[in-house]
């Protein structure tokens, strides 16, 4: 008999006094963990199939279920935690690379949680955001170095194309294919309502979503899936994806099982074939090569749209950003190592890249030092979790942030980190029609609008507390930040003082 080395990580604990054997949990679990046993008229659960997504818990009408961490324990060993042992058993059994999804869950420092905001007291009084106008609108794109005037003294409009956003937030790149049609529709409609932008990711643009083009960033990745002239012209901006925080240095892979129907048509690849984006763009090996692609895309869109270059936050990010700012790009997007993904090798997700807070502070400082900060706007992503993270990112030098995981959580994601299986019980990271239907885009749209409306109020409150009435005045204003429990080097890189100074 084969030995089972792996024990279930979670247990579905059922209160049989409450269970009415309605079998809702059985119908809701795409992993087929729950089962009805006629003999005895009762439910049982195969805990080994549970990924802890909470779908059955949320839909159990009698609150009979809870998911618990399994009580099985390995002998205490600080050097060999249970997860490491399990992973070795798994790889010894499969011979395969470990795959995961969403963001890096490891216990690295979260610098946003070690930075505090200032508030006005006595002098420079605070502003009441309920009674005074507060400006959260931002414009993304290159800014001219000088104002030019004609012979009559009138200002010449030499402003390159700009993106106008009601608040410094955009939905980050999530491709149709990695997430469902209904998730994309929710994001697109929310972006229109909020006056911000969402991002196609590398999967092309479904024909139904061309009508949201004015609120869409269209992405061009190394696989060039779904890229054609109409696609480039449809969006408000074009983003070249050079890297992604969840998997710096490697390409993308959407398994053939997700390349079905409209996903295959939108990507312009056959059904069932794996969509593999190469690690590098095969025509880019230098900043000069990147510049050629930037200008090719500008040419293709008649110089009417800003071009974004997205990179992962890696060790030499400041030098890379300096090159991008000189490449003709209008916006740099930097994705930190906690950024989400639909699928990534676990080792890459958890061990490659650097925190976005350090990357952002370093890039903003370097571009200022080199006198080229106005060449580009800076957008950062990689686990922006709240309005406070946004305010801190802006004060560290960002013009805007990308949010991905937070938006998916608003749609119902429970961070089970199983997107790579394609069986998302919440209808988000799946193409299985009966699962996709579980996410109602009307409700998804409303929840996203609610989330960002609430965040906008909170941003205004924090700005008001600091005596600042325009988000532009907060940009790079590190005097508004203080560190707690950070060492000299960390404070130096962040460009902030310690609390108490
Ligand atoms: S959903 Fe709840 S009440 Fe219904 S069978 Fe499952 S545990 Fe029992
Ligand atoms: S995978 Fe989700 S729906 Fe299935 S048993 Fe676990 S928590 Fe419940
Ligand atoms: S999107 Fe779905 S599968 Fe992915 S982490 Fe969230 S709930 Fe789990």
């Amino acid at each position: 008999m084969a030995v089972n080395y792996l024990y279930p990580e979670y247990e579905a604990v059922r209160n049989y006094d409450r269970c009415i054997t309605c079998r809702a949990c059985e119908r809701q679990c795409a992993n087929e963990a729950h089962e009805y046993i006629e003999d005895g008229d009762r439910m049982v659960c195969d805990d080994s199939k549970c990924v802890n997504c909470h779908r059955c818990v949320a839909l159990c009408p009698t609150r009979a279920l809870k998911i618990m961490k399994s009580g099985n324990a390995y002998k205490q060993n600080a050097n060999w935690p249970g997860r490491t042992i399990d992973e070795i058993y798994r790889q010894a059994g499969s011979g395969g690379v470990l795959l995961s999804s969403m963001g890096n869950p490891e216990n690295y420092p979260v610098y946003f949680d070690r930075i505090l905001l200032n508030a006005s007291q006595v002098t420079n009084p605070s502003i009441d955001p309920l009674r005074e106008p507060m400006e959260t609108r931002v414009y993304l794109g290159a800014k001219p170095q000088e104002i030019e005037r004609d012979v009559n003294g009138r200002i010449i409009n030499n402003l390159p194309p700009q993106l106008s956003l009601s608040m410094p937030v955009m939905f980050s790149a999530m491709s149709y294919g990695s997430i469902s049609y209904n998730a994309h529709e929710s994001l697109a409609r929310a972006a229109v309502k909020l006056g911000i932008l969402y991002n196609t990711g590398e999967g092309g643009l479904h024909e139904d979503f061309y009508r949201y083009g004015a609120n869409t960033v269209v992405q061009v990745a190394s696989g060039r899936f779904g890229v054609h002239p109409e696609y480039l012209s449809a969006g408000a901006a074009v983003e070249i994806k050079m890297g992604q925080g969840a998997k710096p240095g490697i390409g993308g892979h959407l398994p053939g099982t997700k390349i079905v129907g409209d996903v295959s048509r939108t990507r312009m690849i056959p059904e069932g074939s794996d969509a593999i984006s190469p690690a590098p763009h095969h025509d880019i090996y230098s900043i000069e090569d990147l510049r050629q692609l930037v200008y090719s895309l500008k040419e293709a869109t008649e110089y009417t749209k800003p071009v974004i270059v997205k990179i992962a936050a890696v060790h030499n990010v400041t030098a890379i950003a300096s090159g991008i700012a000189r490449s003709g790009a209008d916006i740099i997007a930097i994705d930190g190592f906690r950024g989400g993904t639909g699928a990534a090798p676990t080792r890459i997700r958890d061990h490659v890249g650097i925190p976005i807070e350090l990357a952002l502070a370093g890039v903003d400082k370097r571009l200022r030092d080199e006198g080229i900060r106005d060449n580009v706007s800076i957008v950062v992503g990689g686990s922006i979790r709240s309005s406070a993270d946004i305010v801190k990112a802006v004060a560290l030098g960002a013009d805007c942030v990308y949010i991905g995981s937070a938006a998916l959580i608003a749609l119902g994601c429970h961070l089970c980190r199983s997107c790579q299986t394609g069986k998302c019980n919440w209808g988000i990271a799946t193409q299985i029609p009966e699962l996709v239907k579980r996410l109602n885009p009307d409700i998804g749209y409303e929840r996203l609008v609610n989330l960002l409306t609430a965040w906008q109020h909170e941003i205004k409150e924090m700005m008001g507390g600091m005596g600042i009435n325009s988000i532009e005045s907060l940009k790079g204003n590190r005097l508004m930040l203080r560190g707690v429990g950070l060492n000299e080097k960390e404070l130096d890189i962040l460009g902030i003082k310690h609390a108490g100074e």
Side-chain angles (χ1 to χ4, degrees):
M1 191 176 130
V3 177
N4 186 2
Y5 291 86
L6 287 163
Y7 314 127
E9 212 180 330
Y10 303 101
E11 272 174 46
V13 178
R14 196 180 320 266
N15 182 335
Y16 282 99
D17 291 337
R18 288 188 178 183
C19 178
I20 54 173
T21 54
C22 68
R23 300 176 70 171
C25 49
E26 187 185 34
R27 289 189 295 277
Q28 290 297 323
C29 183
N31 299 314
E32 299 176 345
H34 297 283
E35 191 187 348
Y36 175 67
I37 306 290
E38 264 188 32
D39 183 14
D41 181 32
R42 64 197 194 101
M43 304 297 301
V44 294
C45 184
D46 178 350
D47 295 328
S48 66
K49 294 179 175 172
C50 177
V51 297
N52 195 3
C53 77
H54 278 211
R55 180 77 186 180
C56 58
V57 176
L59 275 97
C60 172
T62 60
R63 294 272 178 234
L65 278 172
K66 61 183 168 185
I67 306 294
M68 306 286 287
K69 184 91 179 126
S70 163
N72 283 329
Y74 291 103
K75 199 158 189 174
Q76 190 81 8
N77 188 327
N79 192 41
W80 290 96
R83 182 184 148 192
T84 308
I85 298 171
D86 282 349
E87 287 173 342
I88 288 181
Y89 287 146
R90 196 166 290 130
Q91 290 192 293
S94 70
V97 170
L98 293 169
L99 279 181
S100 324
S101 53
M102 299 308 286
N104 184 338
E106 296 298 315
N107 189 22
Y108 296 103
V110 179
Y111 287 98
F112 283 132
D113 291 343
R114 299 185 186 189
I115 295 175
L116 295 171
L117 296 167
N118 192 27
S120 301
Q121 301 291 299
V122 186
T123 58
N124 183 25
S126 51
I127 302 168
D128 183 347
L130 295 176
R131 292 176 177 78
E132 305 281 340
M134 305 291 287
E135 187 56 81
T136 57
R137 181 164 295 279
V138 291
Y139 295 90
L140 305 185
K143 306 292 184 296
Q145 297 290 331
E146 292 172 357
I147 291 173
E148 288 177 35
R149 294 181 184 277
D150 65 17
V151 287
N152 299 315
R154 283 191 292 265
I155 291 176
I156 299 170
N157 184 359
N158 59 353
L159 194 63
Q162 303 285 310
L163 298 177
S164 170
L165 306 172
S166 66
M167 67 181 102
V169 183
M170 295 191 284
F171 296 127
S172 55
M174 290 176 269
S175 70
Y176 173 47
S178 73
I179 60 170
S180 65
Y181 179 100
N182 287 358
H184 247 231
E185 183 181 337
S186 305
L187 291 164
R189 286 170 53 194
V192 172
K193 175 72 178 173
L194 291 160
I196 61 169
L197 275 73
Y198 84 111
N199 189 313
T200 62
E202 57 182 298
L205 183 61
H206 190 287
E207 58 187 2
D208 293 353
F209 299 149
Y210 273 70
R211 61 180 183 268
Y212 305 122
N215 295 81
T216 307
V217 175
V218 293
Q219 198 180 68
V220 175
S222 59
R224 305 286 199 269
F225 299 121
V227 176
H228 49 81
E230 293 74 36
Y231 168 76
L232 295 175
S233 304
V238 182
E239 179 173 88
I240 301 170
K241 178 190 172 188
M242 297 302 302
Q244 180 178 348
K247 39 188 170 180
I250 67 166
H253 180 186
L254 191 67
T257 48
K258 285 188 173 182
I259 309 294
V260 290
D262 280 359
V263 175
S264 124
R265 276 190 290 284
T266 305
R267 290 197 179 221
M268 305 193 307
I269 55 173
E271 284 209 21
S273 58
D274 286 13
I276 298 175
S277 312
H281 286 248
H282 285 307
D283 50 355
I284 300 179
Y285 291 93
S286 65
I287 290 294
E288 290 73 21
D289 292 342
L290 174 66
R291 183 178 173 82
Q292 285 199 5
L293 181 57
V294 167
Y295 277 93
S296 298
L297 294 171
K298 288 187 180 216
E299 192 75 33
T301 53
E302 298 176 340
Y303 294 84
T304 57
K305 301 173 198 297
V307 172
I308 306 169
V309 174
K310 177 180 175 183
I311 53 170
V314 289
H315 296 186
N316 54 344
V317 66
T318 59
I320 297 164
S322 170
I324 294 170
R326 297 165 197 277
S327 74
D330 302 88
I331 300 165
I332 301 176
I334 311 169
D335 198 17
F337 81 150
R338 279 190 218 91
T341 177
T346 309
R347 297 290 175 249
I348 302 280
R349 186 196 64 179
D350 296 354
H351 299 277
V352 182
I354 64 170
I356 191 58
E357 303 91 322
L358 302 178
L360 164 61
V363 167
D364 179 64
K365 180 173 186 307
R366 174 139 181 179
L367 299 188
R368 284 178 197 277
D369 289 349
E370 293 182 359
I372 54 173
R373 179 63 184 83
D374 286 341
N375 282 19
V376 284
S377 292
I378 299 176
V379 182
V380 295
S383 200
I384 300 287
R385 305 154 302 168
S386 70
S387 56
D389 287 354
I390 297 174
V391 170
K392 291 171 190 178
V394 171
L396 283 173
D399 293 85
C400 179
V401 303
Y402 266 142
I403 63 164
S405 300
L408 297 190
I409 292 169
L411 293 178
C413 165
H414 277 56
L415 281 183
C416 70
R417 304 202 297 270
S418 309
C419 316
Q420 74 279 2
T421 67
K423 291 183 185 172
C424 175
N425 275 320
W426 293 91
I428 300 166
T430 181
Q431 303 306 320
I432 300 171
E434 51 273 27
L435 297 181
V436 173
K437 276 188 216 152
R438 292 182 183 180
L439 174 60
N440 179 336
D442 291 338
I443 295 173
Y445 150 82
E446 196 177 305
R447 292 179 62 80
L448 289 166
V449 171
N450 283 345
L451 177 75
L452 286 184
T453 303
W455 283 15
Q456 189 176 30
H457 284 305
E458 291 173 347
I459 291 170
K460 288 179 179 178
E461 278 178 346
M462 284 179 267
M463 285 164 49
M466 289 183 267
I468 287 174
N469 62 5
S470 164
I471 196 91
E472 284 288 345
S473 314
L474 183 64
K475 191 172 77 181
N477 188 346
R478 298 177 197 203
L479 288 173
M480 294 295 151
L481 303 175
R482 289 290 187 274
V484 212
L486 298 175
N487 65 36
E488 284 297 328
K489 190 68 185 173
E490 291 167 320
L491 292 168
D492 181 45
I493 293 169
L494 291 166
I496 61 175
K497 293 181 178 174
H498 200 277
E501 286 187 277

